[in-house]
Amino acid sequence: MAISNPGGNLNSVPAPIQQALQTNYLDLSSATNAGWGQQYVPDLMEKEAEVFGPRTISGFLSQVGAEEAMTADQVVWSEQGRLHLSYKCEVKSTTTIEIQSDIDGNNSDTSNGISGTGNSPINHGVRVNDTIIISDSTNGVVKALVVVVANDLITVAPYEATALTGTTAALATTILVYGSEYGKGTRYDKADGTFSDTDSRGANEPSVQTFTNKPIIMKDYYEVSGSDASRIGWIEVSSEGGASGYLWYLKAEADTRARFNDYLEMSMLEAVPGATDGSNTTVDAQLNMEANKVGTQGLFDAIEDRGNITTGVTGVNAATDLAEFDAILAEFDSQGAIEENMMFVNRATSLAMDDMLASMNSYGAGGTSYGVFNNSEDMALNLGFSGFRRGSYDFYKSDFRYLNDKATRGGINSANAANAIRGVLIPAGTSSVYDQTVGASMKRPFLHVRYRASQTDDRRMKTWTTGSVGAATSALDAMQIHMLTERCLITQGANNFMLLK
């Protein structure tokens, strides 16, 4: 039937039943009823537009790490030191060398820097009658016998050369203990080179490094008033996990939860500990915590503190990138030499690596060649490499959305390109460490999250609801959904990690 509005006004005679009649028709296109229609019957586009694509960055730690419970306020673990004795030194005279740091640059004497004399800056293991290799640009490579050890000063006697040439340059010389030599029927000598009736040489204890990290408490909540919770405003929505629904206020709660899940991951990547000297009293006061008890060490800070940093593989050209990548391999050789590594990089670095790898194939000169890819044309011409092998190392490359998205690290990198983080290399597998909490050596992933938990309270990811909506727990005319976690990231063997900046 045809329906028309005779007067254009809101009808005051409703029909007793739900029946479409001429007398109770409401014309929403009329200017008279426009306000009522706009308020109560909004014209909604049924499908929510996903203009930013997948917005979450969660998943990085689930690929490269694990999670374990903890009960204490901090995690303490010890990592093995290097097995062989190698140090950075300075040749002070024709027979004297000053040990200034271990081969990794660690120096425990901070009283007067590396140039101090007789201060024993490190607990080195060089002893009388050790045979050492001395190497620098001035003396070349010299083999010598240690005759006197006086704290950080050692006196040597070269086997072939008559004297050393002083370099007078800090940390310019490297020495390596490669053995020892004794005369027939002799005892161990004392540190000053004289003989003793007792074995006073002293034993070398294995060196360990102890590290700590503390968890941080993160929390957030979503709130919807009781009035809004009762409103039926339908719109089809989709969540990041693929679920769909029509209650609009649940969409807002899902966004809050998704954002909080991203905070869990971003905090483990970006967090830094508070100033060690307790100078940032404002942070201490805001958190109501003691000095040196705020913050936690995330992945990026741990690598910058204890790992490796490279500025290579920037896409200048394939040959340069390959040479820079080989420099990364050389650094890994000097560290733990973990064979399998995962690379999470931004788009520009990913494309630079694709170009570097593609240039190693001869398809660009003299026709298409794809024999090195098991004679598969598709594999040869597909530049989206996911894994490759260089030398004795395997690398698995993946784009890291967190470093690309303008609303996350991508925007931070754009604002300060000089300090941009372009990617991270993470060793696969596990490392053996001594856990002082457990009191035993254990194998754990190089990267894992510790969360606070006990028999009564699991703080890995707590969620609870308060308010008067649903199960009433308070007089608040609203529903609050609370989220809380307490966790920290453990980066073991950071010397095997590489940060691309």
Side-chain angles (χ1 to χ4, degrees):
M1 65 177 179
I3 300 178
S4 63
N5 185 356
N9 297 321
L10 183 63
N11 297 293
S12 59
V13 184
I17 59 175
Q18 289 187 357
Q19 186 176 7
L21 301 174
Q22 182 179 5
T23 55
N24 68 347
Y25 174 64
L26 179 62
D27 186 4
L28 295 178
S29 63
S30 170
T32 304
N33 302 324
W36 190 94
Q38 290 172 358
Q39 180 178 0
Y40 295 101
V41 190
D43 184 13
L44 295 177
M45 296 181 64
E46 184 177 351
K47 182 68 176 177
E48 183 183 46
E50 298 180 358
V51 296
F52 293 108
R55 294 170 299 160
T56 59
I57 57 99
S58 296
F60 169 75
L61 292 177
S62 64
Q63 296 182 56
V64 299
E67 293 185 336
E68 295 183 21
M70 60 178 291
T71 58
D73 283 333
Q74 65 175 348
V75 182
V76 182
W77 73 97
S78 300
E79 299 178 1
Q80 294 176 341
R82 293 187 182 271
L83 179 63
H84 298 287
L85 306 178
S86 185
Y87 305 96
K88 302 297 290 185
C89 312
E90 177 184 342
V91 178
K92 305 295 289 185
S93 69
T94 57
T95 59
T96 306
I97 297 176
E98 181 187 47
I99 299 178
Q100 297 171 327
S101 75
D102 65 17
I103 195 61
D104 296 311
N106 299 314
N107 182 345
S108 62
D109 180 14
T110 58
S111 59
N112 59 354
I114 62 174
S115 61
T117 300
N119 294 308
S120 187
I122 60 173
N123 296 321
H124 67 79
V126 179
R127 298 172 294 183
V128 173
N129 283 83
D130 280 349
T131 53
I132 64 173
I133 302 175
I134 305 167
S135 176
D136 58 43
S137 59
T138 302
N139 293 287
V141 177
V142 178
K143 309 288 178 65
L145 181 72
V146 177
V147 295
V148 177
V149 176
N151 292 326
D152 59 335
L153 294 177
I154 63 173
T155 302
V156 299
Y159 275 92
E160 299 174 318
T162 56
L164 298 174
T165 300
T167 61
T168 64
L171 304 173
T173 301
T174 299
I175 67 170
L176 167 66
V177 177
Y178 71 91
S180 61
E181 184 176 5
Y182 290 86
K184 293 182 179 180
T186 60
R187 296 180 180 273
Y188 291 112
D189 296 346
K190 294 195 298 184
D192 60 4
T194 61
F195 294 101
S196 171
D197 291 335
T198 60
D199 296 339
S200 59
R201 168 182 161 104
N204 272 331
E205 295 291 335
S207 62
V208 296
Q209 292 180 300
T210 300
F211 303 98
T212 65
N213 205 4
K214 59 167 287 294
I216 56 173
I217 299 174
M218 302 171 57
K219 56 184 179 180
D220 199 356
Y221 76 96
Y222 165 75
E223 179 178 296
V224 59
S225 70
S227 177
D228 288 342
S230 63
R231 182 196 302 175
I232 302 176
W234 302 96
I235 178 173
E236 183 181 0
V237 297
S238 60
S239 66
E240 309 297 338
S244 60
Y246 294 91
L247 294 177
W248 67 268
Y249 64 88
L250 290 182
K251 168 62 177 175
E253 189 275 335
D255 281 353
T256 302
R257 186 182 298 271
R259 183 168 53 250
F260 187 74
N261 286 333
D262 279 355
Y263 286 163
L264 305 189
E265 187 148 303
M266 289 191 289
S267 294
M268 297 300 97
L269 297 177
E270 299 282 2
V272 296
T276 56
D277 59 357
S279 58
N280 199 342
T281 55
T282 303
V283 175
D284 301 335
Q286 175 67 26
L287 299 177
N288 193 26
M289 298 174 66
E290 300 177 13
N292 304 330
K293 299 295 185 182
V294 299
T296 187
Q297 188 171 55
L299 175 63
F300 295 157
D301 187 68
I303 299 177
E304 292 196 38
D305 184 28
R306 299 181 276 120
N308 307 287
I309 299 175
T310 179
T311 56
V313 194
T314 56
V316 175
N317 58 65
T320 301
D321 286 343
L322 182 60
E324 292 173 340
F325 198 84
D326 288 347
I328 294 176
L329 301 186
E331 182 61 31
F332 282 165
D333 284 338
S334 69
Q335 301 296 333
I338 307 300
E339 292 185 357
E340 292 189 339
N341 296 269
M342 292 171 286
M343 308 174 64
F344 296 86
V345 294
N346 67 359
R347 177 62 64 188
T349 306
S350 178
L351 294 176
M353 290 184 179
D354 286 349
D355 293 341
M356 175 190 73
L357 294 169
S359 70
M360 300 173 66
N361 192 15
S362 61
Y363 72 88
T368 301
S369 171
Y370 42 84
V372 294
F373 291 95
N374 298 322
N375 208 32
S376 170
E377 181 178 4
D378 293 335
M379 291 179 64
L381 300 181
N382 177 16
L383 300 185
F385 294 94
S386 59
F388 59 94
R389 186 176 182 86
R390 180 68 173 170
S392 60
Y393 294 92
D394 291 323
F395 295 93
Y396 308 101
K397 177 174 67 69
S398 175
D399 290 334
F400 195 2
R401 177 176 175 81
Y402 178 64
L403 301 180
N404 295 322
D405 197 320
K406 184 178 181 179
T408 55
R409 250 290 173 172
I412 299 299
N413 290 343
S414 298
N416 189 338
N419 294 298
I421 294 178
R422 298 180 295 114
V424 59
L425 275 71
I426 299 175
T430 61
S431 63
S432 179
V433 296
Y434 183 81
D435 191 312
Q436 297 192 13
T437 303
V438 179
S441 294
M442 310 183 72
K443 284 189 175 294
R444 288 199 172 95
F446 284 97
L447 206 61
H448 66 278
V449 173
R450 286 292 191 92
Y451 60 90
R452 199 76 176 266
S454 65
Q455 294 180 348
T456 58
D457 192 20
D458 187 343
R459 297 169 70 85
R460 176 178 177 269
M461 178 60 177
K462 290 185 62 176
T463 302
W464 68 96
T465 303
T466 61
S468 62
V469 181
T473 59
S474 71
L476 178 66
D477 184 21
M479 176 177 66
Q480 292 184 339
I481 301 177
H482 299 262
M483 293 155 282
L484 180 145
T485 186
E486 187 172 2
R487 59 179 58 203
C488 64
L489 183 70
I490 306 301
T491 306
Q492 295 176 173
N495 60 298
N496 295 293
F497 289 67
M498 181 79 69
L499 198 63
L500 280 67
K501 299 194 71 175

